[in-house]
Amino acid sequence: MEVRTRFAPSPTGYMHLGNLRTALYTYLFARRNGGKFILRIEDTDQEREVEGAVDLIYKSLAVAGLSHDEGPDVGGPCGPYVQSERKDTYLPYARQLIESGHAYYCFCTKERLDEARAEAEKKGETFKYDKHCLNLSKEEIQARLNAGEPYVIRQNIPTTGKAGFDDVIYGHVEVDCDTLDDNILIKADGLPTYNFANVIDDHLMGITHVMRGNEYLSSAPKYNLLYEAFGWTPPTYVHLTPVMANAQRKLSKRKGDPSFEDLLNQGYLTEAIINYLVLLGWSPRGEREFYTLKELEEVFDLEGLSKSPSIFDTVKLNWFNAEYIRKLSPEKYLELATPWLSQALDPGKFDFKRLGELLQSRTEVFNQLPGMVDFLAKMPEFENDLYVNKKQKSTLESAKAALAFIRPVLESIGDWTEQELHDRVMEAIPATGMKNGQVLWPMRIAISGKMSTPGGAFEIAYLLGKEETLKRLDESMARL
Ligand code: GLU
């Protein structure tokens, strides 16, 4: 049987990293098995609709490289792939369930339900619909429908017995039916709820493997009752353990955790995000950590999926990102770094190519770049303590002497290249009786004002240019 998986996001306006990981696993499983990966837009909750949100889903998947074989934009044999466009598909199925006794019309007003809910809350119980409308006579139902009374259709959950299903991660999951609520299948606006639409669509779209977040674990027994009622074979369920922000809570955009777009905007590389995400909840066999998407398509399996939650770790993600940045060609690095460098520096005034060479191995995330180079545009304020460095044997006194000595040497350099700076300064140092570090450390501090810089004294002096270097030197010497 051909494997058919689906990613079924609701258009929320951003790509949650947990969702992206679900999409990734779903995609990889289809590819690994030579199957189909389907995109379905679940937009039946029209109140939550966000403008432009569907386009963002297409864009995010395309950027991530997760190409779908069927979906709203590419078509396919099971379309439409947007639930609101399938509106008329669901009601006949709901009616079929009413016929077989697995569902029923409910005309209860909001007031009645609110009252019952408040009552339950007062008693400290979880609200469950009391099947009030289950026993209305056929005639009464017809009369009320004819009169145009608003209604919903509810699932008729048995009051006794058990409902369960098998899950690849969680094994056999079973609950007592009397703990389950009679879900709404069709809402008053005629649209299906997620609870109904996911079952109908997964069936009609021939989905063989459903991978989704484990927040659906507790509802899945109800879905299985629907499959049974229709006489359909349920898909293989894979409920994924959550991506946590910390031990206490899930990753959440509302709590300020980044979405996929946020990470891209901060200057993370897609390949690094994907590589990091795939390992967040899945382990390959062996120790290998670096995988391209193509390579993952060859090795991904359900056996490697984690049975416990994973914690999103920015430090580890940054490490991956830095590794991927290091692997870029210098040209590609420069291309990606330029907009970030330009935030702090005028490209006409600084040698970005040289800066790129100095920065590539030091870059973890691109958004750190402006802060790493802004000292070149403007001399930062700094404390003279910076001159003191035990390892370099630099003291305030030695620094003072070193700067006084180096000033005329620098001034005499005509050809302001790194090589020339290096040769002329190095050849002058022995006469001072100082160690290299005793001269080079204060020189770099005096012209950068920073403890650590991309490049040493010669690189920084070169980048600043002669005039600015001498100007900074003079100012720093005056304050020492
Ligand atoms: N629309 C659901 C969500 O975004 C999808 C759940 C599923 O994959 O079945 O959470």
Side-chain angles (χ1 to χ4, degrees), residues 6 8-10 19 42 194 198 211-212 215-216:
R6 91 296 194 276
S10 301
N19 282 353
E42 303 208 324
Y194 168 77
N198 90 90
M211 292 191 201
R212 64 181 164 211
E215 62 269 30
Y216 295 98

Side-chain angles (χ1 to χ4, degrees), residues 304-320:
L305 286 172
S306 166
K307 297 193 186 320
S308 44
S310 329
I311 296 185
F312 181 79
D313 178 1
T314 311
V315 174
K316 186 79 202 254
L317 171 63
N318 287 1
W319 180 81
F320 265 105

Side-chain angles (χ1 to χ4, degrees), residues 6-12 19 22 26 40-44 48 83 194 198-199 202 210-213 215-216 223 237 239:
R6 91 296 194 276
F7 177 51
S10 301
T12 54
N19 282 353
T22 301
T26 311
R40 179 171 79 222
I41 303 294
E42 303 208 324
D43 61 346
T44 57
R48 281 175 47 202
Q83 284 184 333
Y194 168 77
N198 90 90
V199 170
D202 285 341
V210 166
M211 292 191 201
R212 64 181 164 211
E215 62 269 30
Y216 295 98
Y223 308 153
Y237 287 110
H239 285 95

Side-chain angles (χ1 to χ4, degrees), residues 19 54 68 79 96 112 142 230 247 251 275 294 305 365 448:
N19 282 353
V54 177
H68 45 283
Q96 190 182 323
R112 178 175 187 275
Q142 201 49 55
F230 284 118
L251 211 60
N275 199 149
K294 270 272 157 292
L305 286 172
V365 188
S448 72

Side-chain angles (χ1 to χ4, degrees), residues 277-296:
L277 271 190
V278 81
L279 298 178
L280 195 61
W282 176 78
S283 323
R285 283 146 221 254
E287 298 296 306
R288 186 170 157 193
E289 280 194 293
F290 290 94
Y291 289 94
T292 63
L293 191 61
K294 270 272 157 292
E295 289 164 346
L296 289 167

